[in-house]
Amino acid sequence: MGKTYVVDVNGLLCKGCGICSEICPRKALVMDSVNPATGYPNPKLVGECIGCKLCMWFCPDQAIVVVEKR
Amino acid sequence: MIKHEHLSLKYMRREVLPTAFCPGCYNGIVMNALFQAFEELGIYDLRKYVFVSGIGCSSWIPSPYIKADSLHTLHGRAIPVATGVKLANPELEVIVIGGDGDLASIGGNHLLHAARRNMDLVVIMINNLVYGMTRGQAAPTTPKGMVTPTTPYGNPEEPMDVARLIANTNANYVARWCVSQYLFLKNSFKKVLGEIKRGFRFIEVYAPCTTFVIRRENKTPGQKLKELMNTCIGYEKWEKLPAEERTKHIPTGVFREEDKPGFLDNYKQLIARLKR
Ligand SMILES: Cc1ncc(C[n+]2csc(CCOP(=O)(O)OP(=O)(O)O)c2C)c(N)n1
Ligand code: SF4
Ligand code: SF4
Ligand code: SF4
Ligand SMILES: [Mg+2]
């Protein structure tokens, strides 16, 4: 069985820089509509996440987390 | 459902977040690598650590963002203040975080001599190629030809290679990584926090300013990060390149690694000898 992952976004920390969606090797993240609380768009998981954690490491605002689903 | 949290957050002062950094500023990635190093070393309590900085965007990392004691000092003067902290209480681990302007320009002489003395400090220099905080003026690290508010026709000067300069001193550890080389950077932090625990340990992080360098190139911070994954190469490989190719790449790696006695060890030895 392949592993599956949860991707959580903290919409209040995210500044919509797009690094996560551009760095994702699976192109699994897209920048969604603007979050009214901050005025910035937040990423949304639309594809399959392989758990590489690049988005989490390279998010400058500690706004995206990847954890293995159990 | 329980919301999961970024590992960095347990080392940060939540009440001041989000940070004042521009969207996509690479300073936050350097923080992630540093905090991941602490976590992998099993260090959760930073009470033994003091973070010291000068002035600049990168100098904001310790104060207010790191949940530990910090000293936010004058522009360029983080290293002398950190030296004082270390000598007053050698039990403390003292870490300086600052910019290329703060540490290599106005504070350049302090950097050089702390390295020469093999002073017992960890110094992390975020080289974003400009004076970011004051809106992107040229620094001694600005590449030749780069347009900035103070070099509107292109910088006529050659930049200094700070890591290689410090590698020619008596420092115990000198490395440079691009911010795209996340795991190497994190492992260098682990090395100087967990293994080589004395002497001068200098880590340069090549991380162009999102607002005043990357935007001028009409790139997004994500595009630039992917570009750096090809631009940054090991220095042994870089040295074999023809001259015209060299300017297109950033030589990275560990330039110096030793565990010889630092300033404090030598000083204690002197005191012991004089007491005899
Ligand atoms: C004595 C003094 N001179 C000049 C300044 C203005 N100043 C503030 S930050 C800065 C440069 C910061 O550049 P750097 O250290 O590279 O930090 P960055 O903002 O790029 O991270 C300058 C010149 C100052 N605050 N104090
Ligand atoms: S962990 Fe990797 S695959 Fe999953 S969303 Fe993040 S970057 Fe994409
Ligand atoms: S990298 Fe972080 S701050 Fe940037 S868009 Fe993604 S989640 Fe938001
Ligand atoms: S000006 Fe540059 S270094 Fe300063 S916060 Fe903005 S992107 Fe970061
Ligand atoms: Mg700078």
Side-chain angles (χ1 to χ4, degrees):
Chain A
M1 265 298 283
K3 291 176 182 167
T4 52
Y5 297 88
V6 189
V7 177
D8 272 346
V9 177
N10 182 330
L12 294 178
L13 291 181
C14 172
K15 293 184 191 148
C17 70
I19 287 179
C20 54
S21 71
E22 287 180 81
I23 211 82
C24 175
R26 280 306 178 95
K27 298 198 180 350
L29 299 166
V30 292
M31 297 311 291
D32 205 10
S33 53
V34 168
N35 181 341
T38 59
Y40 294 124
N42 295 160
K44 190 173 135 190
L45 187 72
V46 292
E48 187 213 2
C49 170
I50 54 168
C52 69
K53 299 197 176 170
L54 289 182
C55 55
M56 186 170 118
W57 295 343
F58 289 114
C59 171
D61 284 284
Q62 296 74 40
I64 187 162
V65 193
V66 184
V67 277
E68 202 182 316
K69 212 186 264 179
R70 24 173 113 238
Chain B
M1 207 181 91
I2 306 157
K3 265 262 179 189
H4 303 282
E5 278 209 325
H6 200 285
L7 74 88
S8 293
L9 290 175
K10 59 176 166 286
Y11 296 99
M12 298 176 74
R13 293 186 198 275
R14 282 158 200 263
E15 62 275 24
V16 291
L17 299 180
T19 65
F21 301 139
C22 307
C25 173
Y26 293 162
N27 285 344
I29 304 173
V30 181
M31 284 198 270
N32 290 344
L34 179 65
F35 298 142
Q36 192 172 335
F38 275 121
E39 189 184 58
E40 288 182 14
L41 290 168
I43 302 167
Y44 301 104
D45 181 0
L46 298 185
R47 257 175 292 190
K48 205 162 67 79
Y49 293 82
V50 174
F51 293 83
V52 186
S53 66
I55 302 297
C57 297
S58 37
S59 291
W60 273 62
I61 291 176
S63 91
Y65 302 121
I66 304 184
K67 205 157 65 187
D69 287 340
S70 62
L71 279 149
H72 208 148
T73 71
L74 298 175
H75 194 23
R77 310 301 169 224
I79 286 179
V81 173
T83 301
V85 173
K86 185 66 185 179
L87 298 188
N89 187 354
E91 297 298 303
L92 296 170
E93 297 285 354
V94 185
I95 302 178
V96 171
I97 303 180
D100 46 335
D102 189 74
L103 290 166
S105 183
I106 188 170
N109 215 28
H110 298 304
L111 175 65
L112 202 57
H113 289 287
R116 174 186 60 78
R117 300 165 101 183
N118 205 18
M119 188 53 67
D120 300 80
L121 298 173
V122 170
V123 177
I124 300 165
M125 187 189 86
I126 302 184
N127 178 4
N128 62 1
L129 308 177
V130 290
Y131 298 147
M133 173 152 273
T134 46
R135 302 191 70 79
Q137 297 88 347
T141 43
T142 301
K144 194 174 181 192
M146 199 169 103
V147 173
T148 76
T150 43
T151 56
Y153 308 109
N155 180 22
E157 301 173 18
E158 288 288 346
M160 75 202 274
D161 182 333
V162 187
R164 299 241 267 191
L165 181 70
I166 300 308
N168 282 298
T169 67
N170 195 38
N172 263 2
Y173 186 89
V174 179
R176 170 171 49 226
W177 302 110
C178 288
V179 70
S180 52
Q181 295 167 304
Y182 182 88
L183 290 178
F184 288 104
L185 180 63
K186 184 261 295 171
N187 287 338
S188 261
F189 288 147
K190 277 176 85 173
K191 179 71 95 178
V192 300
L193 295 169
E195 243 181 90
I196 302 176
K197 300 181 83 166
R198 58 184 179 174
F200 198 75
R201 290 144 288 166
F202 181 77
I203 299 173
E204 174 183 344
V205 190
Y206 183 92
C209 171
T210 288
T211 298
F212 296 110
V213 177
I214 300 172
R215 200 155 72 185
R216 255 180 200 281
E217 297 176 0
N218 289 317
K219 290 170 190 153
T220 65
Q223 283 168 338
K224 186 70 180 181
L225 207 50
K226 286 202 273 186
E227 181 192 292
L228 288 177
M229 289 175 180
N230 297 314
T231 312
C232 303
I233 59 173
Y235 67 88
E236 290 100 338
K237 205 169 151 190
W238 182 86
E239 275 159 8
K240 292 195 187 88
L241 293 175
E244 67 276 15
E245 279 297 309
R246 283 187 183 186
T247 54
K248 295 181 204 145
H249 293 276
I250 311 299
T252 59
V254 179
F255 297 102
R256 206 179 161 107
E257 183 176 336
E258 283 174 86
D259 191 17
K260 57 184 182 307
F263 176 91
L264 269 166
D265 288 330
N266 292 328
Y267 196 67
K268 280 180 198 152
Q269 217 178 25
L270 173 72
I271 290 170
R273 179 160 61 81
L274 294 177
K275 271 189 178 163
R276 253 189 258 131

